Amino acid sequence: METPVEIASHGAEISPAVQAALKDHVSELETRFGRITDCRVVVTGPGKRHRTGGLYDVRIHLTLPNGREVAVDHIDHGDERHSDLNFAINDAFKRARRQLQDEAKKLQGEVKYHEPQPSGTIARIDHAGAFGFIATSDGREIYFHCNSVIGTRFDDLEKGMHVTFAEEQGTKGDQASTVRFMGKR
């Protein structure tokens, strides 16, 4: 790490053994996820408040290359296990590992991106024939059958209603769609 780990405490005595454990946790993070340019750990001791008294709070702020940051500052006031300093430290660094893992996946491009569900409006509908056509934003018309409607009854669909759809290739090479009702426009 470029700069040493900065450890601060509020209302808690940080023994040399605890300081060494904090530094070891940061070193472990750095070996697993690469370079950490700056790290600040703040340990807040148990307070004397009625609801949250007796619990430790450990906050971690990590600075990564390219201006990325990871901040672990979630406090679980209802978890009595945080009355043990070692548990509170381990829990905070476990959350830091998860956040660093997410950041590493983003940097490596491993995060999945889901295309938005295509949508359109019902251009024509034939209730007697039990089929209809959806007008898409790219100017196409997509055929759908009454059996492919989800979220409402086919008989409730009307021309001009906004719907989402999923296109599927048919067994004979033709296009079919699954239609989900979204509401009137």
Side-chain angles (χ1 to χ4, degrees):
M1 187 159 30
E2 293 178 4
T3 58
V5 178
E6 184 181 340
I7 300 172
S9 66
H10 300 285
E13 290 269 338
I14 305 292
S15 68
V18 171
Q19 287 182 6
L22 291 170
K23 290 177 183 177
D24 288 345
H25 277 291
V26 173
S27 295
E28 189 266 334
L29 288 178
E30 193 170 33
T31 58
R32 289 180 74 176
F33 299 105
R35 194 165 61 105
I36 297 173
T37 58
D38 188 41
C39 177
R40 178 175 168 80
V41 180
V42 178
V43 179
T44 304
K48 302 208 180 338
R49 286 182 252 144
H50 172 66
R51 292 192 58 160
T52 61
L55 303 179
Y56 286 94
D57 177 32
V58 179
R59 296 172 186 248
I60 305 167
H61 186 268
L62 303 170
T63 305
L64 308 173
N66 300 330
R68 293 194 178 264
E69 295 182 349
V70 170
V72 177
D73 57 3
H74 171 73
I75 308 167
D76 188 359
H77 291 293
D79 193 347
E80 290 296 321
R81 296 177 295 176
H82 284 261
S83 61
D84 176 30
L85 178 59
N86 288 326
F87 177 84
I89 291 170
N90 290 335
D91 185 55
F93 277 96
K94 180 170 61 174
R95 285 184 273 128
R97 272 192 301 278
R98 275 190 241 126
Q99 288 185 28
L100 277 171
Q101 186 175 16
D102 291 345
E103 284 296 320
K105 285 181 180 179
K106 286 178 190 174
L107 286 171
Q108 295 167 356
E110 294 179 11
V111 177
K112 291 182 180 178
Y113 174 74
H114 297 283
E115 291 290 329
Q117 186 82 23
S119 64
T121 56
I122 297 178
R124 297 187 315 254
I125 190 157
D126 183 352
H127 288 285
F131 68 91
F133 291 91
I134 301 167
T136 65
S137 60
D138 60 0
R140 298 181 300 141
E141 281 196 351
I142 308 285
Y143 166 84
F144 69 94
H145 188 267
C146 67
N147 293 340
S148 64
V149 176
I150 300 172
T152 191
R153 295 177 343 131
F154 176 78
D155 293 334
D156 294 338
L157 294 177
E158 301 171 6
K159 182 178 176 180
M161 284 186 163
H162 191 63
V163 294
T164 59
F165 60 92
E167 290 184 85
E168 299 171 2
Q169 191 72 22
T171 56
K172 297 178 184 175
D174 55 342
Q175 292 289 105
S177 294
T178 301
V179 178
R180 182 175 299 275
F181 172 72
M182 289 184 63
K184 290 185 180 182
R185 268 203 169 163

